[in-house]
Amino acid sequence: MKIVVLADSRKNELLINFCIAYSQLLANHSLYSTMNTARLVEASTPLKFIAIPNDTTGAINQLAQMAFYNEIDAVIYLRDSLFADYSEPNSLMESCDRNNIPYASNIASAEILVLAIDRGDLDWRELLR
């Protein structure tokens, strides 16, 4: 499966700890992230990421386009509820909603999503490609 792994800056440490805890499960999948997040997680875990560079179009918008065309299967995006724009869905979440791509925005739902992927509950996503 193709899984996007992201975090707002104040949630990076939590994301690293999550990836350490679930590194054996995540290692079986293709992982995508922004360049900065990929470097942080790769420095602390054995996981390897396909890093999307932060350029003028924005990595989130690039990932949203991937979701729009069903090129990803799940998103773990640990969001910071203290950000001013937290209440507005971003383009990535809108694309996920449009294409029935599951996403987790907090640590509890991220754990549920990773365990569901490991059990094979989302294998139906592979039929879409």
Side-chain angles (χ1 to χ4, degrees):
M1 298 203 103
K2 296 179 179 181
I3 304 170
V4 173
V5 180
L6 299 168
D8 288 336
S9 58
R10 290 178 14 138
K11 299 288 184 170
N12 280 335
E13 187 175 339
L14 182 61
L15 180 67
I16 290 168
N17 289 333
F18 174 83
C19 288
I20 290 169
Y22 291 101
S23 63
Q24 289 183 336
L25 301 180
L26 292 171
N28 298 324
H29 304 282
S30 298
L31 303 175
Y32 294 79
S33 192
T34 60
M35 187 77 71
N36 295 338
T37 303
R39 285 182 188 153
L40 285 172
V41 177
E42 286 179 344
S44 302
T45 69
L47 299 173
K48 297 297 176 207
F49 283 81
I50 298 168
I52 306 296
N54 295 336
D55 61 1
T56 55
T57 60
I60 295 293
N61 289 337
Q62 290 180 38
L63 292 167
Q65 285 298 313
M66 291 174 69
F68 183 79
Y69 291 106
N70 263 324
E71 295 173 355
I72 57 175
D73 299 304
V75 175
I76 296 170
Y77 184 4
L78 302 184
R79 298 183 71 204
D80 186 355
S81 62
L82 299 179
F83 278 175
D85 63 347
Y86 182 76
S87 61
E88 298 177 21
N90 63 32
S91 58
L92 177 58
M93 293 178 159
E94 289 173 354
S95 292
C96 288
D97 286 339
R98 191 171 296 120
N99 290 306
N100 296 315
I101 298 170
Y103 64 85
S105 61
N106 60 54
I107 194 70
S109 58
E111 289 187 61
I112 292 169
L113 182 55
V114 166
L115 293 173
I117 290 170
D118 186 52
R119 276 193 317 264
D121 294 349
L122 298 174
D123 287 350
W124 61 270
R125 294 268 330 143
E126 303 212 3
L127 296 174
L128 296 176
R129 279 184 268 128

